[in-house]
């Protein structure tokens, strides 16, 4: 196998010899399960039912071992205790068969008829007196089963078990993980590193090296991780730790091969002893979707340092950019290597940890990646947001039912759009399950230095509210009413200036004839049910005749809402975007869902009775941030030094790690100079903070741009205020071609709130 390069231009670091297919003549030691057939004696055979083969899968252990904690490395002791044929005790031994089909091995998990990936449990659950109780607990046989199934590391059997062949760079990633107990895989988002990690994890369990693993991801990544494990770690018992504290305590206690949990839940369960300390011992900890900025990395080391594991893997979309972030990351991965790093430079840290790191960009992988991949990210509403959604849905049902014979498709579209907006945002909050998933994606994409286009169908509850959410990543926006000359300036700025990572577009907006190859990621926040609309928007950016880059498309969906019902109907009819030609016109699909199906299958309006009317509560304030007047008072109450320190924190969160005051702050504010360095180029911005009670006018914007131009060393300027801006100043900033960015008091407070400053 060719050496793996950590980064272009650097000396390649060789990894251990390959263990995963298609390595030449792999030699895998068979686990002794005498007197049963060895793994290499189980010959695949075709059947009339498709790609299946019989496989010895389940063995019931002798009575003396029932209930004993599994110790896979002592399989020979279990085998020696099995009775000989003819022995009366042999009746306690049971053999069963299983037929896997492309990574869909059955396991005792909670199933439902939804299309969203289910969050599994390795056991059945019943309720007794209002408390969850385990039923059908996995026993020793269930825990041994993966070791008796075909190995994922051999070419002959992997083709029968995995849903698709691994790509070459994924095989290299599997080898790297299998060969290193401590490893940091930092490939670009969308390159399949989570798939490789799941295959490596399953292989570790099959080999007996891991009996109890912990898989940590974000809340928005739970269902995606569960689906990846189901298909790429087939046959493993997985428990997603969730719901109430009583339920989570039960989840942790019942045996499983893999425990899936989000960062916040794990931290809480450790601190509140929901996860008792006698269960803190894991053989492997895998952390996915790690944010490589200081804000993201600080999420987990404290709680995780209390857990024990000999194998630790971390996945991220980019390398850390600051020395303290490297130290924070590797204080978890390999604490003994972190000692003595105080004051060490970033290049020296990269050199020290190079043996543990594999980083590959989309550009480096090139033709190894498909031209276009599509990934659905399923999230779920929390209790408060679900109440708001259900109220909006009930009100729309009532409205449509009252129309009677006057009901038209236009009425249905308007009410469905209203409900969709209630799914994305909860009331006046700049928050929601989709918003958190979007932020998680943009953290990874921007950290990797890549760019993304974000599509929305709505103006007020789309563009206007998503823009401040995406501000930390450098966002530009286009809508249908953007003048052509301004549109061209915005597109040129997005293409040429590296600090713009997000382009927010209203669906239907023209983007010109030139492909937008700079954006290798597309995110649909809210989407038309008509797949032709989505495909047409994507093709405008990346025409089929010009595919110079590998494009990864994300679609955000919310489980247990009308979005899931729409998805289910489209799937039944083969109308998902991945299932129809890319050049499908929206007109070809628009009549595929009838009015009756909208009313009965999607909106579920009762036939023959009037739906209950629910008045949607009018929220006061945002529910998260204080009202505008209170917010301004809070910011105005800060001392000049504290305010400028808060602005400095905000600017660093935007991606400018170096910030220098240009003057002593006074009651009105002050100036800052911020900069960052990438590939030897220094990018500077001028920042002006103004503390006022009224709105800031256009004169302040002109003065700041003039000051920036006078300096001659800045690529742009940020005007930050504790209040807001006049309409004329907002227009002036929009027409500056990206040279002037405005940050209102609301946006400043929100981001400082996220950073923990308020």
């Amino acid at each position: 196998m060719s050496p793996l390069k950590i980064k272009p231009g650097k000396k390649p670091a060789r990894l251990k010899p390959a263990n995963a297919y298609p390595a030449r003549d792999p030699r895998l030691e068979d686990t002794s399960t005498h007197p049963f057939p060895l793994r290499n004696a189980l010959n695949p055979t075709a059947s009339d039912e498709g790609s299946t083969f019989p496989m010895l899968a389940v063995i019931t252990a002798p009575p003396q071992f029932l209930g004993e904690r599994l110790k896979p490395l002592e399989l020979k002791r279990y085998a020696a205790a099995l009775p000989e044929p003819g022995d009366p005790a042999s009746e306690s031994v049971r053999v069963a068969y299983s037929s896997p089909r492309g990574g869909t091995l059955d396991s005792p998990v909670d199933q439902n008829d939804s299309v969203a990936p289910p969050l599994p449990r390795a056991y059945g659950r019943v309720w007794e007196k209002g408390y969850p109780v385990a039923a059908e607990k996995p026993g020793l046989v269930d825990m041994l089963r993966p070791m008796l199934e075909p190995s994922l590391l051999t070419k002959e059997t992997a083709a029968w078990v995995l849903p698709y062949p691994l790509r070459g760079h994924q095989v290299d990633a599997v080898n790297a993980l299998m060969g290193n107990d401590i490893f940091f895989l930092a490939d670009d988002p969308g390159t399949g590193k989570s798939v490789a990690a799941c295959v490596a994890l399953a292989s570790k369990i099959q080999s007996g090296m891991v009996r109890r693993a912990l898989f940590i991801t974000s809340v928005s990544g739970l269902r995606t991780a569960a689906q990846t494990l189901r298909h790429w770690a087939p046959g493993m018992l997985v428990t997603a730790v969730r719901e109430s504290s009583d339920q989570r305590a039960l989840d942790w206690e019942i045996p499983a091969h893999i425990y899936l949990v989000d960062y916040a839940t794990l931290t809480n369960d450790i601190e509140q002893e929901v996860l008792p300390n006698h269960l803190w011992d894991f053989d492997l900890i895998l952390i996915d979707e790690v944010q490589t900025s200081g804000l993201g990395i600080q999420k987990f080391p404290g709680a995780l340092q209390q857990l024990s594991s000999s194998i630790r893997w971390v996945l991220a979309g980019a390398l850390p950019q600051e020395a303290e972030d490297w130290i924070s990351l590797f204080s978890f991965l390999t604490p003994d290597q972190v000692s003595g790093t105080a004051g060490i430079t970033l290049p020296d840290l990269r050199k020290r940890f190079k043996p543990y790191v594999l980083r590959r960009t989309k550009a480096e992988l090139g033709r190894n990646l498909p031209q276009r991949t599509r990934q659905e990210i399923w999230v779920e509403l929390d209790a408060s947001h679900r109440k708001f959604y259900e109220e909006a849905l009930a009100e729309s049902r009532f409205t449509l039912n009252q129309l009677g014979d006057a009901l038209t498709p236009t009425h249905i579209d308007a009410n469905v759009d209203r409900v969709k907006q209630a799914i994305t945002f909860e009331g006046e909050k700049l928050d929601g399950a989709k918003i958190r998933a979007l932020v998680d994606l943009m953290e990874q994409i921007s950290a990797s230095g890549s760019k993304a286009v974000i599509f929305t169908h709505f103006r007020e509850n789309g563009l206007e509210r998503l823009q401040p959410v995406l501000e930390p990543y450098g966002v530009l926006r286009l809508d249908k009413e953007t003048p052509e000359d301004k549109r061209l300036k915005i597109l040129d700025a997005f293409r040429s200036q590296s600090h713009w990572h997000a382009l927010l577009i209203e669906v239907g907006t023209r983007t010109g004839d030139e492909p937008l190859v700079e954006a290798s990621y597309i995110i649909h926040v809210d989407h038309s049910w008509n797949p032709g609309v989505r495909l047409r928007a994507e093709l405008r950016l990346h025409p089929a005749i010009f595919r110079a880059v590998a494009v990864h498309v994300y679609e955000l969906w919310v489980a247990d809402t009308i979005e899931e019902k729409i998805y289910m109907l489209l799937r039944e009819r083969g109308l998902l975007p991945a299932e129809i030609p890319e050049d499908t016109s929206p007109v070809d699909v628009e009549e595929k869902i009838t009015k009756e199906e909208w009313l009965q299958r999607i909106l579920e309006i009762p036939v023959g009775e009037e739906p209950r009317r629910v008045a949607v509560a009018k929220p006061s304030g945002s529910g998260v941030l204080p009202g505008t007047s209170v917010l301004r008072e809070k910011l105005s109450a800060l001392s000049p030094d504290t305010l400028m320190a808060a602005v400095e924190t905000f600017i660093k969160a935007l991606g400018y790690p170096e910030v220098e005051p240009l003057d002593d702050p006074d009651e009105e504010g002050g100036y800052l100079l911020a900069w960052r360095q990438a590939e030897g180029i220094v990018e500077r911005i001028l920042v002006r903070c103004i503390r006022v009670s009224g709105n800031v006018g256009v004169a302040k914007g002109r003065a700041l741009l003039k000051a920036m131009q006078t300096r001659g060393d800045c690529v742009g300027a940020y005007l930050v205020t504790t209040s807001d801006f006049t309409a004329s100043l907002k227009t002036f900033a929009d027409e500056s071609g990206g040279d002037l960015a405005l940050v209102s008091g609301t946006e400043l407070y929100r981001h400082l709130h996220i950073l923990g400053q308020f």
Side-chain angles (χ1 to χ4, degrees), residues 110 163 244 268 325 413 460 468 563 571 712 719:
D110 295 340
S244 67
N268 177 81
D325 295 337
D413 290 343
E460 181 179 353
E563 286 194 340
R571 188 180 68 173
L719 182 56

Side-chain angles (χ1 to χ4, degrees), residues 28-89:
L28 301 177
E29 182 178 354
D30 292 307
T31 302
S32 175
T33 56
H34 178 78
F36 299 99
L38 295 179
R39 184 177 297 163
N40 57 11
L42 302 173
N43 298 317
T45 58
S47 76
D48 294 335
E49 298 180 357
S51 299
T52 66
F53 59 94
M55 173 180 58
L56 188 63
V58 181
I59 313 168
T60 300
Q64 62 266 40
F65 294 112
L66 293 179
E68 181 172 339
R69 191 181 182 92
L70 174 67
K71 297 179 180 179
L73 297 183
E74 298 185 17
L75 285 176
K76 292 183 179 180
R77 183 168 68 89
Y78 292 122
L82 293 174
E84 295 295 332
D87 190 316

Side-chain angles (χ1 to χ4, degrees), residues 274-337:
V274 177
L275 173 60
N277 56 17
H278 72 273
L279 296 176
W280 286 1
D281 183 17
F282 294 91
D283 301 296
L284 184 151
I285 296 178
L286 168 62
I287 308 180
D288 197 6
E289 297 185 2
V290 169
Q291 313 301 345
T292 51
S293 66
L295 178 62
I297 286 182
Q298 294 302 327
K299 288 180 180 178
F300 62 82
L304 282 190
Q305 295 294 15
Q306 300 182 62
L307 303 180
S308 171
S309 65
S310 58
I311 304 175
R312 300 185 176 196
W313 297 339
V314 169
L315 310 182
L319 297 176
Q321 297 300 310
E322 301 295 329
E324 56 265 33
D325 295 337
W326 279 89
I327 294 173
S328 177
L329 178 64
F330 279 88
S331 66
F332 161 71
L333 277 173
T334 174
D336 57 321
Q337 293 290 325

Side-chain angles (χ1 to χ4, degrees), residues 390-391 393-399 402 418 610-616:
E390 289 176 349
E391 289 171 345
L393 178 59
E395 185 68 15
S396 290
R397 286 170 173 166
F398 180 86
T399 300
Q402 291 296 304
R418 175 189 177 188
E610 183 176 305
R612 177 177 59 93
R613 182 170 189 174
V614 179
V616 179

Side-chain angles (χ1 to χ4, degrees), residues 592-627:
K592 298 297 184 180
I593 299 181
T594 66
K595 182 172 74 172
E596 290 71 24
E597 287 172 330
W598 278 111
L599 297 177
Q600 297 173 23
R601 288 198 57 179
I602 296 174
L603 294 170
E604 295 183 334
I605 296 178
V607 178
E609 63 179 270
E610 183 176 305
R612 177 177 59 93
R613 182 170 189 174
V614 179
V616 179
K618 302 297 183 183
S620 58
S622 66
V624 173
L625 303 181

Side-chain angles (χ1 to χ4, degrees), residues 337-374:
Q337 293 290 325
V338 174
S339 58
T341 55
I344 193 170
T345 63
L346 181 59
D348 288 338
L349 284 172
R350 289 179 173 175
K351 183 178 180 181
R352 172 179 292 197
F353 298 126
K354 183 178 179 180
Y356 308 103
V357 177
L358 176 59
R359 160 71 176 158
R360 295 166 299 182
T361 66
K362 275 187 170 183
E364 292 171 349
L365 296 176
R367 295 183 179 179
N368 278 335
L369 299 175
Q371 286 188 335
R372 177 161 303 200
T373 53
R374 188 177 300 273

